[in-house]
């Protein structure tokens, strides 16, 4: 499939729909090509605004496409049932599994983002440049978390660096913080404009992008275990659900549907379910592993997350898309990228670790208040007959014999466990769950789904086979699936 030649023949009004089709759930067709800087007549002269939409679509594919499903099968969210998905579920992946996401990160986001920046510098459009830098940091931050050492300082200049070196993971994290500092300075300048149609995420709202940048900084600090800095940045982060960075979707078949819906209902129906997953067990009020207690009722969220809950042999992620029954992966459900929920939970975890029990408890209760409002679910679940309850916790709830106390842990560890468990539930379908499990796996309070096979969970993504074959600076020997990334070698 020569996607780039096809794109050059398309008028720009069709590019958005085509790209969403390409990333809608087929491993071989999730490409967002490296020359999106095209218009039908002059492939080097597309507008920065058209290219911005393409870069955002590429970022969606990185976080919502095929590898989100793979990470979910490695995190107790999904189960492979048919075709190649049982192999993925049983950790039988190869470098080729990750070829497309690697290309989308470096060609479609980094390279095309750099072209947008170059175009925008001549116009002093600082808002556009700041937005692009946040998106690039988002994609590269995910790459650093999932692979460890990655190309960074020598990317984007193929003539000078045909074989870009792999920078150490810790240095990449440091450089990403600098990139986001640059983005914040640009966004705060008040100079430039981006049309709402071009910015499909936040409609060119610079203040919202500032909040998103701070939450992303907090996420990256959390992944490095720099909890004081994470707490500080989250205080400046996303301040309301409306300011969350969400991937928008609609109801046009094979065009703008939610990618998980498109995969489960159209592309590969029956290939993946949630049979015997850790998440389905801890949300099921009938299961011995249920996380509920007298202050916590997960009935509504269990139903919002899953279908066939009365027949657990067929339990699947909830793709219901009816007007009065719209599940988490409904056809038009937006997909979370960087959110208010994440920001609240960063404050809870980082606050607990950096400031102490009372701060952690206060911020966890702030998140539970958000859950109690029903805003985390579609109204067809939060305003219907299904029960849910998230009453505020007290310190005594985490002491021995308290309802949230965990055997073998002290009250601090019990609170941390509750926070980490809530993060795990909140990140259903996102790579953040996979990243969290690896970051906390050696802590007493960490969330530990049972491995699908063997006695260990995967520690990383495998490097793209195309990159290994073509880049003489690629790691040798190539790290295996169960080799921790450098930041996760020790707690």
């Amino acid at each position: 499939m020569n996607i780039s030649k096809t794109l050059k023949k398309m008028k720009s009004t069709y590019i958005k729909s085509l790209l969403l089709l390409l990333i809608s759930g087929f491993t071989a067709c999730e490409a967002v090509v490296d020359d999106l800087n095209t218009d039908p007549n002059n492939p080097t002269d597309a507008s920065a605004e058209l290219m911005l939409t393409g870069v955002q679509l590429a970022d969606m594919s990185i976080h919502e496409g095929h590898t989100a499903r793979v990470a979910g099968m490695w995190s107790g969210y999904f189960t492979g049932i048919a075709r190649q998905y049982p192999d993925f579920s049983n950790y039988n992946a190869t470098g080729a599994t990750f070829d497309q996401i690697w290309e989308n990160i470096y060609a479609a986001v980094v390279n095309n983002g750099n072209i947008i920046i170059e175009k925008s510098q001549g116009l002093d459009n600082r808002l556009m440049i700041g937005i692009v830098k946040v998106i690039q940091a988002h994609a590269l931050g995910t790459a650093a978390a999932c692979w460890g050492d990655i190309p960074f300082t020598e990317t984007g200049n193929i003539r000078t660096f045909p074989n870009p070196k792999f920078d150490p993971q810790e240095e990449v994290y440091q450089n990403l913080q600098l990139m986001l500092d640059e983005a914040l300075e640009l966004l705060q300048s008040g100079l430039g404009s981006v049309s709402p149609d071009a910015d499909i995420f936040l409609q060119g709202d610079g203040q919202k992008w500032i909040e998103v940048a701070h939450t992303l900084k907090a996420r990256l600090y959390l992944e490095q275990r720099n909890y004081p800095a994470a707490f500080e940045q989250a205080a400046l982060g996303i301040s309301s659900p409306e300011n969350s960075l969400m991937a928008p979707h609609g109801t046009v078949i094979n065009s703008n549907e939610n990618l998980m819906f498109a995969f489960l209902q159209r592309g590969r129906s029956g290939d993946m379910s949630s049979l015997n997953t850790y998440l389905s067990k801890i949300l099921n009020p009938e299961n011995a592993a249920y996380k509920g207690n007298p202050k916590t009722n997960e009935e509504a969220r269990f139903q919002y997350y899953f279908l066939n809950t009365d027949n657990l042999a067929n339990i699947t992620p909830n793709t219901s898309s009816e007007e009065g029954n719209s599940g988490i992966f409904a056809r038009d459900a937006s997909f979370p990228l960087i959110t208010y929920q994440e920001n609240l939970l960063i404050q809870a975890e980082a606050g607990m670790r950096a400031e102490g029990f009372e701060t952690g408890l206060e911020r966890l209760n702030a998140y539970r208040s958000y859950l109690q409002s029903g805003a985390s679910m579609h109204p067809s679940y939060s305003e219907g007959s299904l029960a849910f309850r998230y009453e505020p916790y007290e310190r005594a709830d985490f002491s021995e014999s308290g309802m949230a106390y965990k055997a073998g842990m002290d009250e601090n560890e019990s609170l941390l466990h509750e926070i980490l468990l809530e993060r795990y539930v909140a990140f259903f379908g996102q790579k953040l769950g996979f990243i969290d499990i690896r970051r906390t796996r050696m802590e007493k309070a960490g969330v530990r789904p049972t491995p699908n096979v063997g006695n260990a969970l995967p520690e990383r993504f495998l490097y793209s086979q195309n990159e290994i074959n073509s880049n003489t600076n690629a790691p040798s020997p190539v790290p295996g699936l169960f080799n921790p990334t450098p930041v996760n070698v020790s707690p």
Side-chain angles (χ1 to χ4, degrees):
M1 178 186 298
N2 193 326
I3 300 171
S4 61
K5 289 183 179 178
T6 302
L7 275 176
K8 290 177 183 178
K9 297 177 182 178
M10 300 293 292
K11 292 185 179 296
S12 62
T13 52
Y14 293 105
I15 288 180
K16 294 180 188 178
S17 294
L18 175 63
L19 286 171
L20 280 172
L21 169 63
L22 294 175
I23 62 178
S24 64
F26 299 92
T27 304
C29 293
E30 281 180 344
V32 183
V33 299
D34 59 359
D35 52 353
L36 271 171
N37 51 314
T38 65
D39 69 23
N41 303 311
N42 188 343
T44 63
D45 197 30
S47 70
E49 290 209 337
L50 175 61
M51 290 186 66
L52 174 64
T53 306
V55 166
Q56 291 182 332
L57 290 168
D59 193 49
M60 287 167 56
S61 79
I62 292 162
H63 294 92
E64 190 182 351
H66 170 62
T67 54
R69 298 188 293 272
V70 173
M73 286 185 284
W74 296 352
S75 305
Y77 292 147
F78 308 127
T79 303
I81 299 297
R83 287 182 271 202
Q84 75 267 48
Y85 273 74
D87 281 338
F88 292 146
S89 197
N90 291 333
Y91 315 142
N92 294 321
T94 67
T97 305
F98 303 96
D99 281 343
Q100 196 58 67
I101 183 178
W102 190 271
E103 180 180 347
N104 290 353
I105 291 168
Y106 284 101
V109 172
V110 175
N111 183 64
N112 286 328
N114 288 343
I115 295 171
I116 296 173
I117 290 171
E118 184 178 355
K119 288 175 177 288
S120 301
Q121 285 173 334
L123 302 173
D124 200 25
N125 191 343
R126 300 185 190 182
L127 176 61
M128 174 69 82
I129 299 170
I131 290 172
V132 170
K133 284 181 175 288
V134 175
I135 297 169
Q136 289 178 321
H138 186 216
L140 288 167
T142 297
C146 292
W147 280 290
D149 301 351
I150 59 168
F152 187 92
T153 55
E154 294 183 354
T155 60
N157 190 341
I158 192 68
R159 290 185 178 87
T160 304
F161 302 111
N163 295 289
K165 69 178 181 179
F166 282 61
D167 296 289
Q169 186 182 30
E170 285 280 11
E171 292 182 14
V172 173
Y173 274 121
Q174 293 166 12
N175 284 323
L176 286 169
Q177 293 292 349
L178 295 175
M179 176 185 285
L180 287 167
D181 288 341
E182 294 170 0
L184 283 165
E185 184 176 349
L186 292 160
L187 294 167
Q188 291 163 347
S189 72
L191 298 176
S193 64
V194 174
S195 72
D197 288 341
D199 178 6
I200 62 174
F201 290 159
L202 296 172
Q203 293 70 55
D205 189 320
Q207 184 57 46
K208 290 182 179 179
W209 278 105
I210 288 171
E211 291 188 5
V212 165
H214 281 295
T215 297
L216 182 54
K217 284 178 69 69
R219 175 196 292 184
L220 299 176
Y221 277 130
L222 195 78
E223 290 170 6
Q224 290 179 279
R225 300 178 179 81
N226 186 342
Y227 299 116
F231 185 68
E232 179 181 352
Q233 287 297 318
L236 303 171
I238 299 171
S239 60
S240 69
E242 295 75 25
N243 291 1
S244 295
L245 193 72
M246 304 288 290
H249 291 295
T251 59
V252 181
I253 296 174
N254 292 334
S255 177
N256 64 358
E257 296 172 312
N258 177 284
L259 303 191
M260 196 68 73
F261 173 91
F263 176 84
L264 290 167
Q265 290 295 321
R266 300 197 188 285
R268 294 293 185 88
S269 178
D271 279 17
M272 190 178 76
S273 75
S274 290
L275 176 66
N276 291 325
T277 57
Y278 183 64
L279 180 64
S280 69
K281 293 176 181 178
I282 64 174
L283 289 183
N284 182 358
E286 303 300 321
N287 194 286
Y290 179 51
K291 68 181 287 292
N293 56 46
K295 291 185 175 181
T296 306
N297 186 334
E298 297 285 12
E299 179 189 356
R301 187 154 58 165
F302 181 50
Q303 300 294 333
Y304 176 58
Y305 274 19
F306 299 107
L307 291 174
N308 303 319
T309 55
D310 57 347
N311 180 11
L312 297 181
N314 293 315
I315 190 169
T316 62
N318 192 346
T319 55
S320 179
S321 303
E322 301 170 7
E323 183 176 345
N325 182 15
S326 189
I328 188 171
F329 300 122
R331 177 182 299 170
D332 62 350
S334 297
F335 187 87
L337 299 173
I338 307 172
T339 66
Y340 176 66
Q341 287 179 268
E342 179 186 357
N343 198 73
L344 287 176
L345 288 165
I346 291 173
Q347 290 187 45
E349 181 186 350
M352 162 65 203
R353 294 181 186 270
E355 302 289 323
F357 185 96
E358 292 299 334
T359 299
L361 178 60
E362 177 189 0
R363 302 311 164 94
L364 174 61
N365 280 337
Y367 180 73
R368 289 173 66 83
S369 176
Y370 167 73
L371 293 179
Q372 187 61 42
S373 75
S376 67
M377 294 181 284
H378 189 272
S380 56
Y381 288 84
S382 61
E383 297 175 6
S385 61
L386 295 171
F388 63 93
R389 181 170 58 255
Y390 303 98
E391 295 177 9
Y393 282 128
E394 302 173 2
R395 188 175 196 125
D397 295 327
F398 298 92
S399 62
E400 191 168 357
S401 78
M403 68 180 70
Y405 172 77
K406 302 301 175 186
M409 300 185 189
D410 62 25
E411 65 175 11
N412 289 328
E413 292 164 338
S414 293
L415 174 59
L416 181 58
H417 182 273
E418 185 70 21
I419 293 169
L420 293 174
L421 193 62
E422 191 50 61
R423 284 176 59 88
Y424 175 78
V425 174
F427 299 150
F428 181 32
Q430 303 174 52
K431 291 187 174 76
L432 290 177
F434 174 65
I435 293 167
D436 262 11
I437 289 168
R438 294 151 54 239
R439 173 173 61 88
T440 62
R441 77 191 191 290
M442 289 183 282
E443 299 182 7
K444 186 182 293 187
V447 176
R448 296 181 185 83
T450 302
N452 301 328
V453 292
N455 56 11
L457 295 166
E459 289 282 350
R460 60 162 68 234
F461 286 178
L462 298 175
Y463 285 116
S464 158
Q465 192 60 50
N466 287 340
E467 186 72 12
I468 295 297
N469 293 343
S470 63
N471 186 347
T472 58
N473 283 321
S476 181
V478 179
L481 202 63
F482 298 96
N483 296 129
T485 65
V487 297
N488 291 325
V489 170
S490 59

